[in-house]
Amino acid sequence: MFVLELTYTAPLDRVDAALSDHVAWLEKEYAAGHFIASGRKNPRDGGVILAAGIDRATAEKITAEDPFVRAGVCEYRITEFIATKTAPALAEYVQQLPS
């Protein structure tokens, strides 16, 4: 599982100009089954996405396709973790530690 943390690198007016394309990109990735949660950080200096069922190379490819990245208004920090425990509603995402 991955935490995709984005940080804005441009003023909010430039972020907002790319927002509708970013939301369409999010919807595409949700439909593909890659994303399980997302939202803005508070204060509004970026956002967080939880991604599952992909490998690091795919996470890097997906984030590179974000319209925010293409518009030059954000950078991503990609953190992989092993979800060994979840809330019952997320039980399908439980992972086993490697041997």
Side-chain angles (χ1 to χ4, degrees), residues 3-7 56 75-79:
V3 176
L4 310 176
E5 181 181 7
L6 58 110
T7 301
R56 184 168 196 92
E75 294 177 343
Y76 272 91
R77 180 175 142 190
I78 301 172
T79 304

Side-chain angles (χ1 to χ4, degrees), residues 14-96:
R14 287 192 48 215
V15 171
D16 287 340
L19 185 58
S20 64
D21 290 339
H22 172 75
V23 170
W25 168 84
L26 285 169
E27 293 298 331
K28 180 184 106 184
E29 296 304 330
Y30 274 105
H34 299 151
F35 293 170
I36 59 173
S38 61
R40 289 181 180 172
K41 289 194 271 184
N42 187 20
R44 188 180 175 204
D45 60 2
V48 175
I49 301 167
L50 295 181
I54 58 174
D55 60 20
R56 184 168 196 92
T58 302
E60 290 172 356
K61 179 180 181 287
I62 288 170
T63 57
E65 294 171 351
D66 182 347
F68 278 175
V69 170
R70 292 185 175 191
V73 301
C74 88
E75 294 177 343
Y76 272 91
R77 180 175 142 190
I78 301 172
T79 304
E80 185 173 6
F81 74 102
I82 300 169
T84 56
K85 187 162 183 68
T86 66
L90 298 175
E92 70 182 279
Y93 299 106
V94 170
Q95 299 170 290
Q96 299 298 314

